[in-house]
Amino acid sequence: MAEPMVKAVQVHKSFGRVKVLNGIDLEVARREVLCIVGPSGSGKSTFLRCINHLEKIDAGQLVVDGDPVGYVRRGGKMHELGERAVAEQRKDIGMVFQRFNLFPHMTVLQNVMEAPVRVRKESRATVRDRAVELLGKVGLADRRDMYPAQLSGGQQQRVAIARALAMKPKLMLFDEPTSALDPELVGEVLDVMRSLAEEGMTMVVVTHEMGFAREVGDTVVFMDGGVVVESGAPSEVLSNPRHARTKSFLSKVL
Amino acid sequence: MSDGVSSMRVQHMMETAGTPAAESLPTVRRRQPGRWVAAAALCVLLAMLINTIFTNERFQWDVVFHWFTSDRIFAGLGRTIQLTVISMAIGIVLGLALAVMRLSRNALISGAAWAYIWLFRGTPVFVQLLFWGFISALYPRLSLGVPFGPEFASFSANDLISPFTAAILGLGLNEAAYMAEIVRAGILSVDRGQAEAAQALGMTRGLALRRIVLPQAMRVIVPPTGNQAIGMLKTTSLVAVLAYPELLYSAQLIYSANYQTIPLLITASLWYLLITSVLSIGQFFVERHFARGTTVLAGRDDRRRSLRGLAGLLPGRRR
């Protein structure tokens, strides 16, 4: 069996005295789409942010593609990596935020080109071709010279996805990508994510869209109180939850 | 006027008829009698001002304009502009470094920046200029070498720190303390998500600061920096205490010989006003550059709107 893309073993994380993650165990296989659902405050976004070291874990192991994230193992201890080494790891992990976080002072095309040119030091011409192609893929080829403020939320989020993809990531993280959108704009973003999943991208998606989780997800993980309560195929977890907490959560959102 | 009356009549008729006013009615602007009173008062004051400017012979406009383009005033003006530009450059570069240090997670680094700002913001710039001017009384010799070890070179402080150097040090180091706080405010005004998005794309913090955070912070940084530059232009006049002949001191040297004090003070003031105006226009264009992407309007409309803003800078009718 192939090595998983993401492997979490007993991941712990606290903010001051508040324990947010209480031992997360989880695996994401290559080409798998894993959706994390759960009530707010359950630690699902924090866990996602740990995967690219935007948050530091306090204990446990979090390995992406064979490398511990943010740490290096030396003599039975995990030593924290320097800033550059962490940046190096993040190049291969794309992230999409709830609030898009596009760079407002750059045009759509500049947003997509920035990281490949400045971080990967690729030639402008190559990056430009790829950026135009990616914008075409998310249906925004004609918006390339506009600024983010001139786009709708759904369009901004699609640019954010193109921006992340321009780095050719091996893993994509989505942090509630449709939660800040007007209801009628949710579909266009989910469509882009669905086609990305069909292409075989490995994805971890924190979401409240149960329909998306059921239809696109290979695995659904239900988190509560900083632990994984249950996980399995969407049909199992969403239709026949075994745990009382899962049942009570689903009865509120479905 | 007649419109107002007729529209009122229409409304009255409809109300008496008991039917709701379904048609769209014209609106009448509220009259502003206060504006007319204020305008009249201002006109009288303006007339008085113009009158005194032209009739009070003690203004001696011929003397003012004789010296306005004289070599000695030009030399002083050149030194004032030079001092302003160099001091502001030091202030901005050092202020940026201090701001980044202040925001460091390392308590020692942020503490050092805090202490610098505390010292230089907490004492009058006039006193600081005097200190730099009299530095040789505190350290007669300045040397280069290993701390507490051998010296490689040693200089007389009096030779090394000329009045010009003292002025640059005094103004620039003081300015850095203020600029540090302005830059820090700018950096803090940028949403945290911006730095996070940059880091998630694999940028180091330095690159994220340079490419993503600072360009956005500039919208907050530029207006107070323009203020500081204009303030600096005028603060250079304090350098007269170091016997450095900038604009004001040049004027003072002239009137101490010919006793035409008021005309020469006017000459200097006119130059200060002129340079301030040029700086304001420069600031307008810098602000417009960093405002890109902040409106939903397309680029061209954006530009047109901004030009109207420039017109607002000039004296005259304001909307």
Side-chain angles (χ1 to χ4, degrees), chain B residues 23 47 51 58 61 66 71 112 131 135 152 160 164 200 215 250 284:
Chain B
E23 70 184 285
N51 182 50
R58 297 184 190 202
W61 291 105
H66 168 73
D71 288 348
F131 258 110
I135 192 77
F152 302 138
L160 200 65
F164 175 73
S250 302
F284 165 81

Side-chain angles (χ1 to χ4, degrees), chain B residues 147-158:
Chain B
F148 306 107
E151 282 180 10
F152 302 138
S154 173
F155 312 92
S156 152
N158 255 338

Side-chain angles (χ1 to χ4, degrees), chain A residues 100-112 135 140 142-153 155-157 159-160, chain B residues 194 211 215-216 219 288-303:
Chain A
F100 332 133
N101 295 348
L102 289 180
F103 306 134
H105 58 303
M106 296 181 181
T107 63
V108 164
L109 189 65
Q110 287 168 338
N111 262 279
V112 179
L135 285 173
L140 292 170
D142 54 336
R143 303 294 156 95
R144 69 169 90 143
D145 293 321
M146 295 187 112
Y147 284 98
Q150 296 167 310
L151 303 180
S152 74
Q155 292 170 333
Q156 288 191 50
Q157 194 61 298
V159 174
Chain B
Q194 290 291 311
R211 293 287 306 169
Q216 295 178 57
R219 287 195 58 225
R288 194 179 73 179
H289 172 75
F290 285 108
R292 67 193 191 279
T294 55
T295 60
V296 290
L297 299 169
R300 234 164 60 88
D301 289 343
D302 207 12
R303 170 167 296 201

Side-chain angles (χ1 to χ4, degrees), chain B residues 123-156:
Chain B
T123 52
V125 64
F126 190 64
V127 175
Q128 289 172 37
L129 281 167
L130 288 172
F131 258 110
W132 289 111
F134 294 122
I135 192 77
S136 61
L138 189 60
Y139 295 106
R141 299 200 69 76
L142 302 173
S143 35
L144 214 62
V146 181
F148 306 107
E151 282 180 10
F152 302 138
S154 173
F155 312 92
S156 152

Side-chain angles (χ1 to χ4, degrees), chain A residues 49 83 90 102 114 150, chain B residues 194 196 205 211 297:
Chain A
R49 291 161 59 82
E83 201 204 335
R90 287 186 182 132
L102 289 180
E114 180 69 10
Q150 296 167 310
Chain B
Q194 290 291 311
E196 275 184 359
R205 267 183 300 173
R211 293 287 306 169
L297 299 169

Side-chain angles (χ1 to χ4, degrees), chain B residues 63-85:
Chain B
V63 181
V64 170
F65 287 109
H66 168 73
W67 289 106
F68 192 73
T69 52
S70 68
D71 288 348
R72 288 171 74 185
I73 288 292
F74 270 143
L77 179 67
R79 291 191 191 99
T80 285
I81 292 172
Q82 193 185 20
L83 281 176
T84 306
V85 170

Side-chain angles (χ1 to χ4, degrees), chain A:
Chain A
M1 183 164 159
E3 190 185 23
M5 181 60 86
V6 182
K7 186 176 160 85
V9 182
Q10 283 300 299
V11 169
H12 287 262
K13 167 80 190 170
S14 310
F15 289 119
R17 251 182 255 158
V18 186
K19 299 209 75 176
V20 188
L21 302 178
N22 287 306
I24 301 279
D25 289 303
L26 179 155
E27 274 190 20
V28 187
R30 278 156 212 279
R31 305 176 71 85
E32 180 180 355
V33 176
L34 179 127
C35 294
I36 305 178
V37 302
S40 61
S42 60
K44 52 195 193 308
S45 282
T46 304
F47 175 69
L48 193 77
R49 291 161 59 82
C50 286
I51 299 178
N52 68 353
H53 206 58
L54 279 181
E55 303 289 352
K56 254 186 247 180
I57 64 173
D58 298 334
Q61 279 190 63
L62 189 46
V63 179
V64 171
D65 200 17
D67 295 320
V69 176
Y71 294 88
V72 60
R73 187 171 185 155
R74 239 185 281 138
K77 281 192 182 149
M78 300 302 280
H79 295 264
E80 202 182 336
L81 286 173
E83 201 204 335
R84 271 173 202 287
V86 173
E88 196 64 36
Q89 290 183 329
R90 287 186 182 132
K91 285 181 190 174
D92 301 325
I93 306 173
M95 186 159 192
V96 175
F97 297 86
Q98 182 178 350
R99 309 200 52 96
F100 332 133
N101 295 348
L102 289 180
F103 306 134
H105 58 303
M106 296 181 181
T107 63
V108 164
L109 189 65
Q110 287 168 338
N111 262 279
V112 179
M113 289 178 63
E114 180 69 10
V117 170
R118 300 276 163 180
V119 178
R120 285 215 194 273
K121 316 267 185 212
E122 291 180 70
S123 84
R124 278 194 165 274
T126 331
V127 175
R128 198 190 154 83
D129 290 346
R130 188 160 81 236
V132 170
E133 190 194 315
L134 282 169
L135 285 173
K137 212 169 103 176
V138 300
L140 292 170
D142 54 336
R143 303 294 156 95
R144 69 169 90 143
D145 293 321
M146 295 187 112
Y147 284 98
Q150 296 167 310
L151 303 180
S152 74
Q155 292 170 333
Q156 288 191 50
Q157 194 61 298
R158 285 186 279 153
V159 174
I161 294 172
R163 177 176 71 174
L165 291 175
M167 287 294 279
K168 298 182 180 164
K170 56 192 175 192
L171 167 67
M172 283 285 286
L173 310 175
F174 293 84
D175 188 3
E176 302 195 22
T178 57
S179 297
L181 297 177
D182 291 340
E184 78 271 23
L185 303 177
V186 168
E188 62 191 60
V189 172
L190 293 181
D191 286 343
V192 168
M193 290 169 65
R194 186 176 295 117
S195 69
L196 196 56
E198 280 160 10
E199 287 168 27
M201 174 63 77
T202 311
M203 294 162 62
V204 182
V205 186
V206 170
T207 187
H208 292 295
E209 295 292 330
M210 297 302 153
F212 177 84
R214 186 189 301 269
E215 188 197 333
V216 181
D218 298 306
T219 309
V220 169
V221 168
F222 174 72
M223 268 178 75
D224 193 14
V227 293
V228 173
V229 175
E230 74 177 281
S231 70
S235 53
E236 297 277 310
V237 178
L238 297 179
S239 308
N240 302 305
R242 279 168 293 151
H243 288 261
R245 278 194 281 176
T246 319
K247 279 180 195 160
S248 122
F249 172 74
L250 290 174
S251 71
K252 283 178 205 150
V253 297
L254 287 179

